[in-house]
Amino acid sequence: MWLFALFLLVPMIEIALFITVGGWLTLWPTLGLVLLTGVIGTVLMRWQGLKVLAELRGDLGQLKNPLSPLAHGALIVLAGLLLLTPGFFTDSIGFLLMAPRVREFVIAFVGARVKIQSFGTSASAPRSDGPIVLDGEFFEVNENQPPKPPSGWTRH
């Protein structure tokens, strides 16, 4: 039910803000402002997304829990989508979500309501006890014919 209310309430807020801001700025500056927020949102999403991606790579390289960079990345994508959506209310929420402190608050708020049971990695190392098995392919070579390439591809 709350999702239905959200889909009903957000467009009504956007229409009211368009009428109000359009009355102050007139039509063309209002439309220019909407386009400008879309461009700024795209630039911010790319910049912060690359930053979070580097953090994610570092955490995965050190076998740390990647949950925080993944959550930040998801919120950055959501913020970018909100900034690309025409409207002043969605732009305000999008700009708020671009701030790392706001994202941390949202992650903590949602994290308090979500239970994660476990996180772990497993690296399978070959065992040294027992015989070593090598898997491979072979083909018979006839001395009268040149050998066939294994994949069937030939050079030209």
Side-chain angles (χ1 to χ4, degrees), residues 37-110:
T37 58
V39 170
I40 292 172
T42 303
V43 170
L44 280 174
M45 185 172 69
R46 178 180 165 87
W47 176 62
Q48 290 199 5
L50 290 174
K51 186 176 169 184
V52 168
L53 185 61
E55 182 182 343
L56 177 63
R57 284 183 183 158
D59 284 357
L60 288 175
Q62 297 174 1
L63 296 178
K64 289 183 181 177
N65 186 350
L67 183 62
S68 177
L70 287 173
H72 279 276
L75 288 176
I76 287 170
V77 169
L78 176 63
L81 290 174
L82 289 173
L83 286 168
L84 288 175
T85 303
F88 296 108
F89 181 68
T90 54
D91 287 347
S92 301
I93 294 175
F95 279 124
L96 281 174
L97 285 176
M98 284 294 178
R101 300 257 185 214
V102 174
R103 286 195 310 264
E104 289 170 5
F105 174 77
V106 170
I107 291 169
F109 180 77
V110 172

Side-chain angles (χ1 to χ4, degrees), residues 1-152:
M1 190 65 177
W2 63 269
L3 192 60
F4 175 72
L6 186 69
F7 278 116
L8 188 64
L9 191 62
V10 169
M12 290 174 56
I13 292 171
E14 293 290 5
I15 291 170
L17 286 173
F18 269 122
I19 291 171
T20 304
V21 173
W24 292 335
L25 298 178
T26 68
L27 176 66
W28 295 111
T30 303
L31 292 178
L33 188 60
V34 169
L35 288 174
L36 181 66
T37 58
V39 170
I40 292 172
T42 303
V43 170
L44 280 174
M45 185 172 69
R46 178 180 165 87
W47 176 62
Q48 290 199 5
L50 290 174
K51 186 176 169 184
V52 168
L53 185 61
E55 182 182 343
L56 177 63
R57 284 183 183 158
D59 284 357
L60 288 175
Q62 297 174 1
L63 296 178
K64 289 183 181 177
N65 186 350
L67 183 62
S68 177
L70 287 173
H72 279 276
L75 288 176
I76 287 170
V77 169
L78 176 63
L81 290 174
L82 289 173
L83 286 168
L84 288 175
T85 303
F88 296 108
F89 181 68
T90 54
D91 287 347
S92 301
I93 294 175
F95 279 124
L96 281 174
L97 285 176
M98 284 294 178
R101 300 257 185 214
V102 174
R103 286 195 310 264
E104 289 170 5
F105 174 77
V106 170
I107 291 169
F109 180 77
V110 172
R113 287 156 179 70
V114 174
K115 181 181 177 186
I116 299 175
Q117 292 183 341
S118 68
F119 172 79
T121 61
S122 65
S124 59
R127 302 179 123 197
S128 62
D129 56 344
I132 297 174
V133 177
L134 297 175
D135 189 17
E137 296 181 14
F138 71 94
F139 58 93
E140 293 184 22
V141 177
N142 187 351
E143 292 180 15
N144 299 332
Q145 294 178 340
K148 295 180 183 176
S151 65

